[in-house]
Amino acid sequence: MPVVKVNEDKCVGCGICTTFCPMDALGGWGVIKLDQNICNDCLDCVEACPVDALETSQ
Amino acid sequence: MKQLKYDVAVIGAGLGGLTTAALLAKAGFKVLVSEKLPFTGGRCGTINYQGYKLPTGTAWVSDEVHGTLCREVGGEFEVRIPPTQYFFRIRGKDESAPFAGLYRAMIARAARDEGEAGRIYSAFKKAVMWAEPSRSISFYDWLRQYTDNPAIFGVFQIFIEMDSALNHSELPAGEFFRFIKETSFVKRMGFAPYGGGYVTDILVKAIRMLGGDVCTRSRALKIKVKDGNAAGIIIRKDTEEVEVTAQAVVCNAHPRVAVELAGADKFDSGSLKDISSLKGSPQVIYYITSDRPLLEDKPMICLPEARRIFAIMQYSHFCPEMSPKGKHLIEAAAFLGDSNPPYDFKKEMELQMQDIRENIKDFDKYAKIMRINWYRGPWGLMRAWAGHNTLPIHSPVQGLYLTGDSSAPSGWWGSSAAVKSGRLTAEDITRRYKPA
């Protein structure tokens, strides 16, 4: 399964990913934080990020 | 690879790209708009979230710029001008502000006496009617010649921050007055009924009605350049790669994306330098929800004397469709102490929260912060700092256009700049190309 990570150098904190996350696993301000314990790896946030700051790794 | 043929391919469904595509579709061109995200509109969009409609950027539009465009391509358009006037909270009192004659009225209300108001307004009028001030000083430096009154500076900080997302010390003085002159025809300014997405939804619908295509979740992978001319794009739609042939390509994504997709070797060094020096203008937007109205009957309060928050808007007052029945949606907008990164997130947030608590009565008792959206860097509220660096719509690659707020004439800012840039692009394409 791919694991989603926030690339903090790229994230601008626009919060669009948080509105697409079905699990409410993303939050914070300035730079978004992802709670790996809640994330279900659906990748909706990866698709919704305007600056490609959500990345997947195996 | 699957092959498709269009007259014009547009990368990015932001306001600029959709403006170009809608106008070209109206002129008989077959257009494709390819958007990588799952929604259209970019920073002029609206996202549905927990029953609320949250703007992804601007919600502030005008009948003259956005309305004229929507009607031109066959859409119906409405702008919500708050039924009561705006308010400026000065020295603890909420002063109502008229839209017509706004600058003069606000100078008078913030001035210590009539002499000060007269002095500032004369200088202001001269800068508009006669000599545009220099661009080598900031608006702050220009105003400092006439006053040291913090309330006056605060009032202008709001005007400038609201339209350019810069501080008054960061905006070239001449650019502010150019903006006033260029946009003097705008009289009916207000809110789009459910945020910026209201405008871009009209454009998407128009493009489709006129035979064009708008595809979301379609990432552009490459801009094809043949013999020095843009020849089309390669996109990935779902998992499939598609080759799109076109006479011209419009990049409404950040100009850096155009460089990446076409290849830096296709751009000359001057253009690369201008593109790499683009800076996004930052702002922070709070979306606050509540079961009761929190600004009494006021639709919008501007805060010239606050630390960071410059305006609080109670959307439920004039755009009830943005919140579920019985709920209220409030937006608080903040500037940053310095628009240049790096930002001290913790300090900025502390100052923003102090302002929110001081200016929204019973905030801790009744309100809840739903989202705090930062706009900065490549996703700045605007792509280019107003008055600092404006790109031409023509890239060094023939047939490849750069469209968006960073490619608009001086004096055009924000979503109006995106529309202007989109219009200039469409006019140029109509002159040079013919529908197949």
Side-chain angles (χ1 to χ4, degrees):
Chain A
M1 280 289 282
V3 175
V4 181
K5 281 204 171 106
V6 180
N7 180 334
E8 296 197 358
D9 294 329
K10 280 187 177 179
C11 177
V12 295
C14 73
I16 287 172
C17 57
T18 67
T19 59
F20 279 84
C21 177
M23 306 301 286
D24 214 7
L26 292 146
W29 38 268
V31 171
I32 300 296
K33 305 280 177 209
L34 170 68
D35 188 336
Q36 297 286 1
N37 298 319
I38 305 175
C39 175
N40 69 351
D41 299 318
C42 72
L43 309 185
D44 282 3
C45 61
V46 175
E47 199 173 51
C49 176
V51 294
D52 298 331
L54 286 147
E55 296 170 350
T56 53
S57 59
Q58 294 300 321
Chain B
M1 204 187 301
K2 190 177 164 189
Q3 309 275 325
L4 290 172
K5 210 170 166 200
Y6 285 86
D7 291 319
V8 177
V10 179
I11 301 168
L15 181 57
L18 292 173
T19 298
T20 299
L23 292 170
L24 288 177
K26 180 93 198 315
F29 286 81
K30 191 158 184 263
V31 295
L32 168 72
V33 182
S34 175
E35 167 60 57
K36 74 169 181 177
L37 297 174
F39 60 95
T40 55
R43 276 151 290 180
C44 189
T46 298
I47 286 176
N48 293 316
Y49 182 58
Q50 296 182 356
Y52 291 85
K53 287 187 183 295
L54 304 182
T56 56
T58 191
W60 191 235
V61 296
S62 74
D63 192 65
E64 289 83 358
V65 174
H66 308 80
T68 304
L69 169 69
C70 289
R71 285 187 291 268
E72 205 171 315
V73 296
E76 280 179 29
F77 180 88
E78 176 199 0
V79 56
R80 298 268 169 85
I81 299 170
T84 47
Q85 296 297 345
Y86 311 115
F87 292 87
F88 280 68
R89 191 162 282 172
I90 300 174
R91 298 183 273 266
K93 205 173 147 223
D94 289 345
E95 304 269 8
S96 72
F99 192 72
L102 180 64
Y103 294 115
R104 186 175 199 166
M106 291 322 302
I107 290 170
R109 277 162 212 175
R112 295 185 184 104
D113 51 53
E114 277 180 30
E116 184 185 41
R119 195 169 64 242
I120 297 165
Y121 190 65
S122 305
F124 185 88
K125 211 169 144 190
K126 196 166 113 181
V128 175
M129 310 296 280
W130 173 243
E132 197 173 283
S134 168
R135 286 171 176 263
S136 62
I137 60 166
S138 68
F139 180 81
Y140 171 87
D141 289 330
W142 178 85
L143 187 58
R144 214 170 45 165
Q145 302 172 103
Y146 308 101
T147 185
D148 61 356
N149 178 351
I152 296 274
F153 280 94
V155 163
F156 279 101
Q157 168 74 357
I158 289 168
F159 295 145
I160 290 170
E161 190 59 48
M162 200 168 273
D163 287 305
S164 79
L166 288 180
N167 291 306
H168 52 23
S169 57
E170 294 159 346
L171 181 71
E175 178 68 13
F176 178 69
F177 291 100
R178 182 72 61 89
F179 164 75
I180 290 181
K181 285 186 279 186
E182 286 288 328
T183 56
S184 62
F185 70 98
V186 174
K187 307 285 180 211
R188 288 176 52 77
M189 190 99 199
F191 293 86
Y194 58 86
Y198 172 77
V199 178
T200 44
D201 285 352
I202 291 174
L203 297 177
V204 169
K205 200 173 151 200
I207 293 164
R208 290 179 175 151
M209 292 272 289
L210 294 162
D213 292 309
V214 181
C215 299
T216 53
R217 296 183 163 94
S218 299
R219 181 183 288 267
L221 303 174
K222 192 177 163 53
I223 296 171
K224 291 189 301 165
V225 181
K226 211 173 151 192
D227 305 326
N229 291 292
I233 57 177
I234 294 174
I235 59 173
R236 189 173 57 225
K237 174 84 184 132
D238 304 315
T239 52
E240 191 187 14
E241 286 190 16
V242 181
E243 185 168 1
V244 180
T245 309
Q247 301 181 56
V249 175
V250 176
C251 183
N252 178 226
H254 197 286
R256 268 172 228 166
V257 174
V259 175
E260 270 168 41
L261 298 185
D265 57 312
K266 313 285 191 310
F267 285 69
D268 73 295
S269 61
S271 176
L272 287 175
K273 190 178 172 192
D274 290 344
I275 291 171
S276 68
S277 68
L278 286 176
K279 293 195 286 188
S281 36
Q283 216 168 72
V284 183
I285 307 281
Y286 283 70
Y287 287 114
I288 296 163
T289 58
S290 160
D291 291 337
R292 59 177 69 203
L294 296 176
L295 299 183
E296 299 157 2
D297 58 345
K298 291 165 187 148
M300 174 167 164
I301 298 180
C302 299
L303 305 172
E305 292 165 324
R307 303 162 187 88
R308 290 292 187 268
I309 301 285
F310 63 92
I312 305 175
M313 286 151 276
Q314 192 155 256
Y315 280 124
S316 19
H317 242 73
F318 42 92
C319 300
E321 50 272 79
M322 290 174 80
S323 41
K325 212 163 185 255
K327 302 277 185 188
H328 295 267
L329 179 65
I330 289 161
E331 177 187 320
F335 57 85
L336 295 157
D338 183 341
S339 296
N340 280 299
Y343 308 112
D344 184 338
F345 297 124
K346 199 164 165 266
K347 182 183 150 206
E348 294 293 333
M349 173 109 172
E350 277 168 16
L351 296 171
Q352 292 156 7
M353 285 310 300
Q354 281 182 44
D355 286 341
I356 286 175
R357 291 204 163 90
E358 276 174 26
N359 289 286
I360 300 179
K361 208 170 151 241
D362 294 327
F363 175 80
D364 286 307
K365 209 166 156 192
Y366 299 117
K368 190 177 157 243
I369 295 176
M370 177 185 250
R371 279 283 339 130
I372 306 173
N373 295 359
W374 279 67
Y375 295 89
R376 59 189 174 98
W379 197 254
L381 207 58
M382 286 154 215
R383 222 170 247 167
W385 279 30
H388 285 259
N389 180 9
T390 306
L391 303 175
I393 53 168
H394 299 113
S395 81
V397 178
Q398 197 154 340
L400 172 60
Y401 293 81
L402 305 175
T403 302
D405 77 74
S406 53
S407 307
S410 177
W412 288 79
W413 303 348
S415 72
S416 300
V419 171
K420 181 75 173 174
S421 178
R423 272 192 185 281
L424 291 172
T425 306
E427 282 162 16
D428 195 80
I429 290 175
T430 315
R431 266 198 305 271
R432 292 171 191 264
Y433 303 91
K434 294 278 164 279

